[in-house]
Amino acid sequence: MGIVVFGSINMDLTTYAPRLPRPGETLFGHSFITVPGGKGSNQAVAAARLGAPTRFIGRIGDDAFGREVLPTIQQQGVDVSGVMVDKDHATALAVISVDDQAENAIIVISGANMALDQTDVARCLPALDTAQVLLLQLEVPLEASMAVAQAARERGVTVVLDPAPARPLPDEVFSLVDILTPNEVETEAQVGFLPNTPEDAARAASVLRARGAKAVIVKLGARGVYYESSSGSGFIPPFRVKAVDSVAAGDAFNGGLAVALYEGKPLPEAVRWGAAAGALAVTRPGAMPSMPYREELERLLKEGTV
Ligand code: RIB
């Protein structure tokens, strides 16, 4: 098994409108889609579409959304043998608004995702025995994710944590992380300031590395990506693409990053893979459907634009 993803699986109910509503306001939208999502399963689908053997460990409910999302993920080439059907909790869902500038706001109802416990950790262990990269996020209980991170660390598996949704984390978490990949608001939740420039991102990365993360990648959205590790630092400028929907761009990034690491590419090249994967995801609507394929990623890396 190349890449193991321990995390969330959601059904996304997504509306498109000229702008995001203000509190108390009713807006007319353009359109609505129901598509599979969830930060964990989006990352798993990105990794599989980009060509790495990928297993996803998580939970769905015994309900219509669960019966729809699981086969979709499987059809993308993800090994879902580690997914459990939870009789006591509903499949998680996300209510998403996207505006004409491709910005989004998301509310998640966690359901089965937040029921992950030590039994799910145990289901993850066999896959970790032969994995190169573990992908984690924060839509499932932190305790379970950290147990998986510890097991991965003991097996020499590279641990990548996407600290999303944003929440402050204790230092013990950072010490189990090889690569931390916050976006701007997730960086602010850890360091107390919003990085707007590569210089801000460098300042934040130093703080996070001092707290225990081995490498830090700060995703600055349309402004590019800053990375820093003990081997050096760098900045990847953004790829030029037409943005229609930024939902799951960060998930595509982590899928691309993981596949490059799995293939033995050095960190600067892996960050470029992540940036290209994220850029492709913003060119089309929806979370999981927007995850990129290998051929288009290689084309973007070569030509710099789509
Ligand atoms: O990162 C995007 C994802 O966040 C969406 O698919 C939604 O399900 C939420 O989890």
Side-chain angles (χ1 to χ4, degrees):
M1 189 51 56
I3 296 173
V4 173
V5 186
F6 184 84
S8 58
I9 176 169
N10 304 350
M11 184 61 95
D12 288 358
L13 313 179
T14 308
T15 58
Y16 294 87
R19 58 182 173 77
L20 302 179
R22 290 191 293 265
E25 186 181 27
T26 301
L27 278 182
F28 289 109
H30 310 301
S31 57
F32 170 75
I33 54 172
T34 304
V35 292
K39 296 182 193 303
S41 47
N42 291 339
Q43 294 184 11
V45 166
R49 283 185 174 179
L50 293 172
T54 305
R55 183 177 296 180
F56 174 72
I57 285 91
R59 291 193 192 197
I60 54 168
D62 186 10
D63 50 31
F65 281 164
R67 281 186 280 280
E68 194 177 333
V69 292
L70 195 61
T72 310
I73 294 167
Q74 192 169 19
Q75 281 154 19
Q76 302 308 310
V78 177
D79 176 343
V80 295
S81 58
V83 176
M84 180 193 139
V85 179
D86 185 325
K87 303 275 181 200
D88 299 323
H89 298 91
T91 301
L93 61 87
V95 179
I96 304 179
S97 306
V98 180
D99 71 14
D100 282 352
Q101 277 66 53
E103 290 299 338
N104 67 75
I106 304 179
I107 294 175
V108 175
I109 304 297
S110 293
N113 288 338
M114 277 298 172
L116 263 67
D117 60 20
Q118 293 305 317
T119 60
D120 303 274
V121 175
R123 275 205 318 284
C124 198
L125 299 183
L128 287 179
D129 285 339
T130 53
Q132 281 73 39
V133 182
L134 169 69
L135 294 178
L136 298 170
Q137 321 77 35
L138 298 178
E139 284 188 324
V140 300
L142 184 61
E143 198 184 5
S145 293
M146 288 306 103
V148 172
Q150 179 67 47
R153 167 62 55 89
E154 286 159 10
R155 290 162 173 77
V157 178
T158 299
V159 178
V160 180
L161 173 63
D162 199 18
R167 56 170 276 191
L169 292 169
D171 286 358
E172 304 86 83
V173 170
F174 297 118
S175 59
L176 287 174
V177 172
D178 292 297
I179 306 178
L180 188 73
T181 62
N183 68 12
E184 300 103 311
V185 294
E186 292 146 13
T187 300
E188 183 184 30
Q190 308 309 329
V191 301
F193 60 88
L194 194 69
N196 288 311
T197 62
E199 293 72 29
D200 295 342
R203 198 153 55 92
S206 302
V207 172
L208 292 166
R209 289 186 60 230
R211 289 177 64 189
K214 288 201 174 62
V216 176
I217 298 170
V218 182
K219 299 181 263 193
L220 296 170
R223 284 172 296 206
V225 187
Y226 174 83
Y227 64 90
E228 188 177 304
S229 72
S230 58
S231 313
S233 62
F235 177 73
I236 307 285
F239 287 91
R240 288 192 311 277
V241 294
K242 184 173 169 353
V244 303
D245 179 348
S246 60
V247 173
D251 300 330
F253 182 103
N254 281 45
L257 175 80
V259 173
L261 294 172
Y262 159 70
E263 293 182 2
K265 296 180 172 42
L267 187 66
E269 195 178 344
V271 175
R272 201 160 169 268
W273 270 56
L280 287 164
V282 305
T283 63
R284 45 209 179 210
M288 198 175 290
S290 73
M291 296 298 102
Y293 289 92
R294 176 95 184 199
E295 193 184 290
E296 55 184 350
L297 181 122
E298 286 179 344
R299 200 179 323 124
L300 178 57
L301 286 171
K302 197 163 152 221
E303 296 172 7
T305 186
V306 284

